């Protein structure tokens, strides 16, 4: 399985949620609404989730292995950093 596209929608410098990503696999399957969140120990990727009856959140889609999670996270952060540097260069 290959990650063939990552799209970043920059949300804001305000608040904890920094951006939302969509990741395409093998040019055939896409997962939307992956969030980049600024946490206490740095930024992290949160898979799409929905609120369940008990008030908790459950992932709608998620990787089954830590290797796949790392691959997705690295691809998202690479594109996010590219987008941030592009925005910064346009502001100068």
């Amino acid at each position: 399985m290959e990650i063939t596209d990552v799209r970043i929608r920059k949300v804001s410098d305000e608040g904890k949620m920094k951006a939302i990503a969509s990741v395409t696999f093998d040019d055939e399957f896409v997962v939307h609404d992956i969030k980049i969140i600024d946490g206490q120990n740095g930024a992290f990727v949160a898979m799409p989730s929905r609120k369940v009856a008990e008030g908790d959140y459950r992932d709608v889609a998620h990787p089954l292995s830590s290797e796949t999670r790392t691959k997705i996270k690295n691809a998202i952060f690479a594109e996010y950093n590219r987008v941030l540097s592009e925005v910064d260069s346009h502001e100068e």
Side-chain angles (χ1 to χ4, degrees), residues 3-91:
I3 296 171
T4 51
D5 190 33
V6 177
R7 306 267 171 124
I8 300 291
R9 294 190 314 254
K10 182 121 169 45
V11 173
S12 173
D13 290 333
E14 305 291 318
K16 292 188 181 283
M17 187 166 62
K18 298 304 177 187
I20 297 174
S22 296
V23 178
T24 303
F25 300 91
D26 294 331
D27 287 323
E28 295 180 355
F29 186 81
V30 66
V31 178
H32 296 290
D33 298 330
I34 301 171
K35 296 171 187 71
I36 299 173
I37 298 176
D38 190 14
Q40 290 180 343
N41 299 319
F44 66 94
V45 171
M47 292 295 138
S49 60
R50 64 181 168 94
K51 197 171 191 174
V52 292
E54 302 84 38
D56 294 331
Y57 286 88
R58 291 263 160 83
D59 286 351
V60 174
H62 59 88
L64 296 178
S65 71
S66 60
E67 179 183 294
T68 303
R69 180 175 293 277
T70 299
K71 188 189 300 188
I72 293 168
K73 178 186 75 161
N74 289 344
I76 289 171
F77 279 124
E79 181 63 11
Y80 178 63
N81 290 328
R82 188 192 69 74
V83 167
L84 283 183
S85 66
E86 209 172 81
V87 168
D88 288 344
S89 69
H90 282 68
E91 290 178 357

